[in-house]
Amino acid sequence: MSNTSFVSSDEIRDRFSTAMSAMYQAEVPQYETLLALVEEVNRETLERDTALAERLAAHNELDRLNVERHGAIRVGTAAELAMLRRLFAVMGMHPVGYYDLSEAGVPVHSTAFRPVDDAALSRNPFRVFTSLLRLELIENPTLRERAAAILAERDIFTTGARELIALSESQGGLNDEQAEQFVAEALETFRWHQDATVDMDTYEALHAEHRLIADVVCFHGPHINHLTPRTLDIDEVQRRMPAAGMSPKEVIEGPPRRQCPILLRQTSFKALEEATRFKGGRQGSHTARFGEIEQRGVALTGKGRALYDHLLDASREKTRGLASEAHQQALAKVFAEFPDDEAALRREALAFFEYRLTDAGHAADAVDETDLEALIEQGLVTARPITYEDFLPVSAAGIFQSNLGESQNDAYAGQGKREAFESALGSAVTDELELYAKREAASKARVLRALGHTIAVNR
Ligand code: OOG
Ligand code: NI
């Protein structure tokens, strides 16, 4: 079969994220309300802030906004995680970043499956935050073995999904009909199942150890637990949520509101208590699904990230017990130290930017200047912030906790095991900072080359 009959992995991801969103709207009605609210606020924001609208349009970011979302799942075994890696690869999604949630008292470690190159990101940046349960952190050996035995019996993939993944790998892609079928089969893995795989006593014993353990172990599959649309104004969406029937958590995770948004801000709300049928016939309920929104800003360099981590740490004391506006104000005070204009973020190498020639730059003859800031001042080059495409472990921990109740266990702390995670996954995870750094360096090199410089720029 020739390559030309294959559907691109970008197209498959786009179809899959659309199908997933439709399924989640049917399963969790509040998600539909949330999408409408986010769309309304995004529209108003773009009408009000025409500079932002023009900028997003100029960089092909407007189109992706309406399809942009991330989801999250949690799996129980290395084999499940490794198969998911292959499933996501069919859609051009690859593991980026390692997140150690044990620090925050949650017995999982995670990665994000996402597209990595610019074209793929701008087509549809769909990402899935994927956590692997760390059974070894269950202290009670009987319970630990029981959980492992239960997990060993389930298969979270349909036969059709397994076949199509193998087919895609062997022939190098899927044709239209196969892609359609793949999307339908793959979707089954993420569906909510009302029937638990265990009796109520087992569920309760696992639940008592940690709510998350019960969520991962007791069901037929890793139900998608939230889908998160991207908003351009998270404070406004948060304000309007109660009127739309949603009650968000009291604080927005991540950095405060700023002129130049950095990294990622998020807030979530409990969505649903699901009726659950346990083995043996008893009926109960399980809270698994929630809602979340996010606002994305510029990706930070290692230096910028260190400053962010330091300030977030320093803010902990100052924001304790505060909610809403008071929390934001206290946070903003601490973050006053973090430069909040683009030129300073660039000059101090705190954030990543993509450089381009302006029209004047395109028209210019060979130029002697090689300093990009000078070229920007001369109007030959522009820089735009590179969007942060990843997650934040501290924020993720806050999100986990908001929908799990306060259950956490400090004994889990400091036990990150990246190698173990990668060996379960069956591949290394890509370093997210490296991706941003490469993108920035490549854009600098392109600009300088176009201006007549032959020297290679550090890449
Ligand atoms: C994942 C929580 C992390 C985020 O946006 O930081 C996450 C989970 O609860 O499974 O989705
Ligand atoms: Ni999330």
Side-chain angles (χ1 to χ4, degrees), residues 206-221:
L206 290 166
H207 194 277
E209 179 77 19
H210 196 295
R211 294 168 69 132
L212 189 112
I213 299 173
D215 182 58
V216 176
V217 174
C218 301
F219 297 89
H220 289 282

Side-chain angles (χ1 to χ4, degrees), residues 131 306 401 449:
S131 301
Q401 269 144 24
R449 223 178 291 123

